[in-house]
Amino acid sequence: MVLEIFREGIKHAFGRRAFPHQITFILESPLRKILIRPGQVADRLHLTETSRVLEVGAGSGVFSVEVARRIPRGLLEILDLQPEMLEKVQRKIEAASSLSHVVAYTQGDASNLPFSDVTFDVAFLVTVFGEVAEPRKCLQGLYRVIRPGGLLSITEHLPDTDFSTFSRIRSVVEGEGFVFTERFGRPWCYTANFRRP
Ligand SMILES: C[S@@+](CC[C@H](N)C(=O)[O-])C[C@H]1O[C@@H](n2cnc3c(N)ncnc32)[C@H](O)[C@@H]1O
């Protein structure tokens, strides 16, 4: 109930659904990094030095730097609906030395991914899925741009106002042809991994 009021308040105050770029201090809070460490999320992506990775809804880049560090000869493509978010994550990447060459930025909608087929080894979303207005279209696009055998990783945690339970995520994602492979964490803070067959 309280979450619902908060969520509606945010939507009302900012007149849209995506998490407002004006309040990214919430995403960056030290308490959140105790709940879910960027290194933990990166560990769960099974990256190699050459992985080609898509981060959907990167926000201010809480997880982006850690992922970019692990793929020195790969690619991290960062997609977000809000240009203000892309500016924030770009500042973080530029402040960390020697990462800019592996990162690209695209402003766009997760429901209409502007990438070629079979482009990525890994795609990941952290507290984004519940915000995407057309989740099935988003998953269909992800299926198209991830290579066969590639990984789709979805992390969700409370108290995100758009939190989705593991069982809901699993049923929607498997409904679009992905195969569930593993889950990490607890029911209120988990990562669910799927493979494109
Ligand atoms: C709650 S924030 C999470 C940011 C980051 N993943 C994190 O966990 O710190 C959700 C982000 O997803 C983005 N987003 C929401 N809907 C989107 C969509 N349809 N396409 C692309 N990005 C979207 C928002 O702009 C926002 O930056």
Side-chain angles (χ1 to χ4, degrees), residues 19 32 57-59 63 80-82 85 108-110 126-128 131:
F19 187 94
R32 184 178 186 223
F63 302 95
D80 205 286
L81 210 47
Q82 303 179 71
M85 291 297 205
D109 187 343
V126 182
T127 60
V128 175
E131 279 184 36

Side-chain angles (χ1 to χ4, degrees), residues 4 7-8 10-21 81-82 127-135 160-164 168:
E4 193 55 31
R7 176 164 53 188
E8 290 309 314
I10 286 179
K11 280 187 208 161
H12 180 71
F14 292 87
R16 60 182 167 186
R17 193 176 162 79
F19 187 94
H21 64 86
L81 210 47
Q82 303 179 71
T127 60
V128 175
F129 196 73
E131 279 184 36
V132 176
E134 296 181 90
D160 179 29
T161 53
D162 290 305
F163 176 81
S164 293
R168 174 171 182 266

